[in-house]
Amino acid sequence: MRLVHLDLKGAAPRVSYLEQVFPLLSQLGANGVLVEYEDMFPFKGELEILRSPYAYSEEDIERIQQLAEQHKLEVVPLVQTFGHVEFILKHEKYQHLREVERFPNSFNPHVPDTLALLKSILSQVIEKHRRSTWIHIGADEVFHLGEGMDSKNWMSHNKGDVGTMYLKHIKEVLGFLTAQYWGLQVLMWDDMLRKISVGALRAPCSLLGTVALVACACPTAVPFLTKYVESGFEAVWFASAFKGTTGPAQAWTPLSYHLKNHLSWLKVMQTVPRLAPLRLQGVVLTGWQRYDHYSVLCELLPVSIPSLAICLQTLVNGGFTEDAKRKVLDVLGLESVQLEQSTCEGRGAFPGVEIYHMVEQVNGHLKESILKALEEESAIKGWFSPYHRKHQFGNPRNMESFGSKVLKLHEDWESFVRDLRAQLERIYFPDTVEEWMEENVNPYLDQLRDLVRDYR
C-alpha cells in the first residue's frame, strides 16, 4: 500500500480542492490516504469543544470517503492516542489529563478519564469511517512521559520503567479496539518502541502482535527491523516524507532532499525479504503541515505536489527512472524538473498550480526586492531615515528622487498579493489564509507599506 498523509492540523484544504487532488494521487500511484484530522473532525456532544471553527461537517467526511472510493483510495484515519494531543489538552476542560501540568503535549496514562476520553474520540472517528479497514493510533513522541508525579509513583510501586508504562497504555487502547471493532487493523508509529527491550515487547498476553508498526524518521531502520522480528511482529510499514520535514517554517519544498529520502527507503525495502517472517505491508508518504499543534505552517500542499509526484513515482518504479520522470511531467503538465534547484519549468496543470507559482515568487523575490529598495537606496538612508520619519521632516527634492520607484514597487506587490489571497481563498479557509500571509508576506510588505505611508 502507498498512503499519502494528509496532515489537517494546519492548512486543511476545502473538500472542493480534495476533489481535484484525489484523482491525481491515484494517477501517480497512491492507493490510500492517511487522514490526520485533529481539530478538523466534526466531534459531537461532550467532544464538541475540540472542533476548529472551520472543522469539516459530517457531509464533508462522507464526501471525502466517496471521493476516495471513486479513485480507489483506502482511507485510514489517524487518531493520536498518547503524545501530540495539544489540540485536546490545551482546553481547560482536559487540563487535568496532562502528564506534566505545564505542558499540553502528552496524556497522563494513570488517570482513568484518559482512557475514557480516548474511547469516545476513537468511537466517533471510527463510526464515521465504517468503510475503513485500518486505523492509525499515532503514539509517537510522547514527550515528558515518566516526569509526572503519577508516573513516578507508578514506576516506584511497580518497579517499572517508562517503556513498560508506555506499553501498558498502548495495550489498553488496543484492547478497546480489538474488543469493540473486530477485524479493524491497527497501525502505530514505532519511535517509542525503539528504546524498549525485546523481552518487554514479547511479554505474554501482549496485544502488540495485532499491530503493524510504521517505522518513521530516517531510513536507518534495519537494526530496529531485526529487533521487531525477534519481538514477534509480522508486518512493518515505512514512513517516508514528501514535505514538512526540513524546518518548521519551510515554505518551499526541496525536491532532491525528498527524492533522496525515498531512494534510501527503497534500499531498506530490499533488505526486508531477508527478515522473514516479517513482511513489508506498505509505505506512508508523510506530508507534515505543522510540527505540532502550536507551530507555524510548513509548505502548503499545492507547493509540494511536484515533490509528491516525484516521490510516488520513485516508489512505483523502484527509482526515479526515465519512465518515472516522464510520468511526473505528463501528469503535472510540466516541461522539466530541476531537482537541485527545486524548480519546475512550464506552466503546469495540476490542482493549485497558480499558488505554486505565486509562492515561488514570494519565496524568491518579495523579501529580496523590498530589502533592496529600503537598504540600498541612498536617498532613503540619507534623507528619509527612521529619525526623519519619526519627526516628520525631510527635503522634498531628495524624497522625490526615490518616491516613484518605491510607489511602483508597493503597487506591484499589493496587486500581486490580492491575486495570491484570492487563489488561497479558493482552496483554504480564512484562518489559513490569514496565518500564511502573516508568516510569509506581511513581515516584508509591512515595512514597505509603512515607508509609503510616511512618504505620502
Side-chain angles (χ1 to χ4, degrees):
M1 288 176 80
R2 288 181 289 269
L3 303 184
V4 173
H5 174 221
L6 297 175
D7 180 15
L8 305 179
K9 63 177 168 280
R14 296 177 187 272
V15 176
S16 54
Y17 183 64
L18 297 179
E19 285 174 0
Q20 302 168 55
V21 170
F22 278 20
L24 182 79
L25 299 183
S26 194
Q27 259 181 302
L28 289 166
N31 51 20
V33 283
L34 176 67
V35 188
E36 185 165 357
Y37 288 106
E38 208 175 83
D39 58 358
M40 287 303 290
F41 188 80
F43 291 109
K44 291 194 308 202
E46 281 284 287
L47 302 178
E48 203 169 324
I49 190 173
L50 302 179
R51 289 166 66 155
S52 148
Y54 298 101
Y56 293 143
S57 65
E58 290 185 24
E59 293 72 31
D60 290 335
I61 302 291
E62 182 53 34
R63 179 77 186 118
I64 289 168
Q65 290 174 93
Q66 285 168 359
L67 286 168
E69 213 167 0
Q70 211 175 318
H71 300 288
K72 301 187 170 46
L73 299 168
E74 172 96 26
V75 176
V76 180
L78 187 155
V79 176
Q80 284 287 5
T81 54
F82 211 163
H84 284 296
V85 282
E86 298 93 344
F87 85 103
I88 300 169
L89 299 183
K90 70 179 184 182
H91 295 284
E92 209 175 316
K93 180 178 180 180
Y94 298 120
Q95 213 168 329
H96 67 293
L97 302 182
R98 296 175 179 185
E99 168 69 0
V100 173
E101 200 185 336
R102 282 190 309 143
F103 305 135
N105 302 66
S106 309
F107 277 125
N108 174 346
H110 311 286
V111 184
D113 286 1
T114 293
L115 195 62
L117 175 64
L118 280 172
K119 286 177 178 177
S120 92
I121 289 174
L122 286 162
S123 302
Q124 288 202 18
V125 173
I126 294 167
E127 286 309 320
K128 288 278 170 273
H129 291 84
R130 296 310 291 199
R131 304 181 188 73
S132 295
T133 54
W134 294 86
I135 184 152
H136 194 311
I137 60 167
D140 60 319
E141 297 186 333
V142 188
F143 299 134
H144 309 292
L145 182 60
E147 291 175 23
M149 270 327 290
D150 288 349
S151 287
K152 285 177 178 168
N153 292 337
W154 186 89
M155 287 189 288
S156 69
H157 290 142
N158 296 277
K159 298 191 170 51
D161 57 15
V162 170
T164 50
M165 199 161 57
Y166 173 82
L167 289 177
K168 179 177 175 289
H169 176 72
I170 294 301
K171 287 173 191 171
E172 285 171 350
V173 172
L174 293 174
F176 165 70
L177 290 171
T178 45
Q180 208 66 25
Y181 302 100
W182 191 84
L184 185 65
Q185 298 176 82
V186 183
L187 293 171
M188 67 181 276
W189 304 122
D190 81 318
D191 60 317
M192 294 293 291
L193 300 179
R194 294 184 178 193
K195 302 183 195 84
I196 298 175
S197 70
V198 171
L201 292 175
R202 279 202 78 100
C205 74
S206 172
L207 281 163
L208 285 178
T210 61
V211 175
L213 293 183
V214 189
C216 41
C218 56
T220 49
V222 182
F224 300 111
L225 295 181
T226 316
K227 174 180 170 175
Y228 298 149
V229 176
E230 290 167 13
S231 305
F233 288 99
E234 289 168 16
V236 69
W237 289 56
F238 294 145
S240 60
F242 69 91
K243 79 178 191 81
T245 55
T246 53
Q250 184 77 18
W252 195 250
T253 312
L255 297 179
S256 65
Y257 175 90
H258 290 289
L259 171 58
K260 283 174 191 153
N261 177 257
H262 284 76
L263 294 173
S264 303
W265 276 116
L266 284 171
K267 283 191 186 134
V268 178
M269 286 173 201
Q270 288 160 9
T271 66
V272 176
R274 301 204 294 272
L275 294 165
L278 191 71
R279 65 186 195 286
L280 176 63
Q281 236 173 359
V283 180
V284 176
L285 292 90
T286 62
W288 305 102
Q289 193 54 80
R290 295 189 195 282
Y291 277 33
D292 74 20
H293 185 78
Y294 284 94
S295 68
V296 298
L297 296 169
C298 19
E299 311 102 296
L300 296 173
L301 188 53
V303 167
S304 57
I305 281 182
S307 173
L308 175 57
I310 289 166
C311 297
L312 270 171
Q313 276 297 300
T314 296
L315 292 178
V316 170
N317 289 281
F320 194 47
T321 59
E322 280 307 312
D323 284 351
K325 190 182 285 188
R326 197 170 313 113
K327 175 87 171 186
V328 167
L329 297 177
D330 288 351
V331 172
L332 301 187
L334 295 166
E335 285 159 30
S336 69
V337 169
Q338 308 301 322
L339 290 171
E340 290 307 323
Q341 289 78 39
S342 299
T343 55
C344 299
E345 313 304 320
R347 288 186 56 179
F350 55 88
V353 69
E354 302 85 359
I355 289 175
Y356 175 87
H357 288 307
M358 292 175 109
V359 171
E360 191 173 19
Q361 288 295 312
V362 169
N363 202 49
H365 304 297
L366 176 72
K367 178 180 180 179
E368 190 188 325
S369 71
I370 290 173
L371 293 183
K372 194 173 175 201
L374 302 189
E375 296 294 320
E376 292 179 17
E377 183 65 63
S378 67
I380 293 180
K381 287 184 98 75
W383 282 268
F384 202 53
S385 71
Y387 185 79
H388 288 95
R389 290 165 63 184
K390 182 179 174 184
H391 295 286
Q392 299 185 328
F393 78 103
N395 187 333
R397 176 180 168 275
N398 300 83
M399 284 170 65
E400 279 171 15
S401 70
F402 67 80
S404 56
K405 200 193 293 183
V406 165
L407 292 173
K408 170 90 171 76
L409 182 69
H410 175 244
E411 197 178 310
D412 289 350
W413 275 120
E414 289 291 10
S415 151
F416 174 87
V417 165
R418 275 195 297 279
D419 293 347
L420 171 58
R421 188 179 273 277
Q423 291 295 344
L424 287 170
E425 283 167 353
R426 286 173 49 198
I427 292 180
Y428 293 111
F429 298 102
D431 57 342
T432 300
V433 179
E434 210 43 57
E435 181 179 352
W436 199 87
M437 290 297 200
E438 285 284 351
E439 292 292 339
N440 298 283
V441 173
N442 296 351
Y444 313 110
L445 197 48
D446 281 350
Q447 294 179 48
L448 186 59
R449 286 167 175 154
D450 291 349
L451 184 96
V452 166
R453 183 198 61 216
D454 291 350
Y455 173 83
R456 289 203 169 114

Coordinates of all heavy atoms in Angstrom, one line a residue, residues 129 134 137-139 151 167 177-178 182 237-238 285 288 350 368 371 377 408 438:
H129 N -16.2 6.2 9.8 CA -15.3 5.6 8.8 C -15.6 4.1 8.7 O -14.7 3.3 8.8 CB -13.9 5.9 9.1 CG -13.5 7.3 8.9 ND1 -13.6 8.3 9.9 CD2 -12.9 8.0 7.9 CE1 -13.2 9.4 9.5 NE2 -12.8 9.3 8.3
W134 N -8.6 0.0 8.3 CA -7.4 0.3 9.1 C -7.7 1.6 10.0 O -8.5 2.4 9.6 CB -6.2 0.7 8.2 CG -5.7 -0.4 7.4 CD1 -6.1 -0.8 6.1 CD2 -4.6 -1.3 7.7 NE1 -5.4 -1.8 5.6 CE2 -4.4 -2.1 6.6 CE3 -3.7 -1.4 8.8 CZ2 -3.4 -3.1 6.5 CZ3 -2.7 -2.3 8.7 CH2 -2.6 -3.2 7.6
I137 N -3.1 4.7 15.3 CA -3.3 5.3 16.6 C -2.1 6.2 17.0 O -1.9 6.6 18.2 CB -3.4 4.2 17.7 CG1 -2.2 3.3 17.7 CG2 -4.7 3.4 17.4 CD1 -2.2 2.3 19.0
G138 N -1.3 6.7 16.1 CA -0.2 7.6 16.4 C 0.8 7.0 17.3 O 1.5 6.1 17.0
A139 N 0.8 7.6 18.6 CA 1.6 7.0 19.7 C 3.1 7.3 19.6 O 3.9 6.7 20.2 CB 1.3 5.5 19.9
S151 N 3.2 9.2 37.3 CA 4.1 8.2 36.7 C 5.2 7.8 37.6 O 5.6 6.6 37.7 CB 4.6 8.8 35.4 OG 3.6 8.9 34.4
L167 N 3.9 0.8 27.2 CA 3.3 -0.4 26.6 C 1.9 -0.7 27.3 O 1.0 -1.1 26.6 CB 4.2 -1.6 26.8 CG 5.4 -1.7 25.9 CD1 6.3 -2.9 26.2 CD2 5.0 -1.6 24.4
L177 N -9.9 -1.4 21.1 CA -10.1 -1.5 19.6 C -10.4 -3.0 19.2 O -11.4 -3.2 18.4 CB -8.9 -1.0 18.9 CG -8.7 0.5 18.9 CD1 -7.4 0.9 18.3 CD2 -9.9 1.3 18.2
T178 N -9.7 -3.9 19.7 CA -9.9 -5.3 19.3 C -11.2 -5.9 19.8 O -11.9 -6.6 19.2 CB -8.7 -6.3 19.7 OG1 -8.4 -6.0 21.1 CG2 -7.5 -6.0 18.9
W182 N -14.0 -5.6 15.9 CA -13.3 -6.8 15.4 C -12.9 -6.7 14.0 O -13.6 -6.3 13.1 CB -14.3 -8.0 15.6 CG -13.6 -9.3 15.5 CD1 -12.9 -10.0 16.4 CD2 -13.5 -10.1 14.2 NE1 -12.3 -11.1 15.9 CE2 -12.7 -11.2 14.5 CE3 -14.0 -9.9 13.0 CZ2 -12.4 -12.2 13.6 CZ3 -13.7 -10.9 12.0 CH2 -12.9 -12.0 12.3
W237 N 5.6 -1.3 8.2 CA 5.4 -0.2 7.2 C 6.6 0.7 7.3 O 7.2 0.8 8.3 CB 4.1 0.6 7.4 CG 2.8 -0.1 7.2 CD1 2.4 -1.3 7.8 CD2 1.8 0.3 6.4 NE1 1.1 -1.6 7.3 CE2 0.7 -0.7 6.5 CE3 1.6 1.4 5.5 CZ2 -0.5 -0.5 5.8 CZ3 0.4 1.5 4.9 CH2 -0.6 0.6 5.0
F238 N 6.8 1.5 6.2 CA 7.8 2.5 6.3 C 7.2 3.9 6.1 O 6.2 4.0 5.4 CB 8.9 2.3 5.3 CG 9.8 1.1 5.5 CD1 10.2 0.4 4.4 CD2 10.0 0.6 6.8 CE1 11.0 -0.8 4.6 CE2 10.8 -0.5 7.0 CZ 11.3 -1.2 5.9
L285 N 3.6 8.1 2.8 CA 4.4 9.2 2.4 C 3.9 10.4 3.3 O 2.8 10.9 3.0 CB 4.2 9.5 0.9 CG 4.8 8.5 -0.1 CD1 3.8 7.4 -0.4 CD2 5.2 9.2 -1.4
W288 N 3.9 16.5 6.5 CA 3.6 17.3 7.8 C 3.2 18.7 7.4 O 3.8 19.4 6.5 CB 4.7 17.2 8.8 CG 5.0 15.8 9.1 CD1 6.1 15.1 8.6 CD2 4.3 14.9 9.9 NE1 6.0 13.8 9.1 CE2 4.9 13.7 9.8 CE3 3.1 15.0 10.6 CZ2 4.4 12.5 10.5 CZ3 2.6 13.9 11.3 CH2 3.3 12.7 11.2
F350 N -1.6 21.2 -12.7 CA -2.0 20.4 -11.5 C -2.9 21.3 -10.6 O -2.8 22.5 -10.6 CB -0.8 19.7 -10.8 CG 0.2 20.7 -10.3 CD1 0.2 21.3 -9.1 CD2 1.3 20.9 -11.2 CE1 1.2 22.2 -8.7 CE2 2.4 21.8 -10.7 CZ 2.3 22.4 -9.5
E368 N 13.6 40.0 -0.9 CA 14.8 40.5 -1.6 C 14.5 41.9 -2.2 O 15.3 42.8 -2.0 CB 15.2 39.5 -2.7 CG 16.5 39.6 -3.3 CD 16.6 38.7 -4.5 OE1 16.1 37.5 -4.4 OE2 17.2 39.1 -5.5
L371 N 13.8 44.6 0.6 CA 15.0 44.9 1.4 C 16.0 45.7 0.5 O 16.7 46.6 0.9 CB 15.7 43.7 2.0 CG 14.8 43.0 3.1 CD1 15.6 41.8 3.6 CD2 14.4 44.0 4.2
E377 N 18.9 52.0 -1.3 CA 18.6 53.4 -1.9 C 19.2 54.4 -1.0 O 18.7 54.7 0.2 CB 17.0 53.5 -1.9 CG 16.5 54.7 -2.6 CD 16.9 54.8 -4.1 OE1 16.4 54.0 -4.9 OE2 17.6 55.8 -4.4
K408 N 5.9 52.5 -7.1 CA 5.6 51.4 -8.1 C 5.8 50.0 -7.5 O 5.0 49.1 -7.7 CB 6.6 51.7 -9.3 CG 6.7 50.6 -10.3 CD 5.6 50.8 -11.4 CE 5.8 49.9 -12.6 NZ 5.3 48.5 -12.3
E438 N 0.4 36.3 7.3 CA 1.1 36.9 8.4 C 2.5 36.4 8.5 O 3.5 37.1 8.9 CB 0.4 36.6 9.7 CG -0.9 37.3 10.0 CD -0.6 38.8 10.4 OE1 0.5 39.1 10.7 OE2 -1.6 39.5 10.5

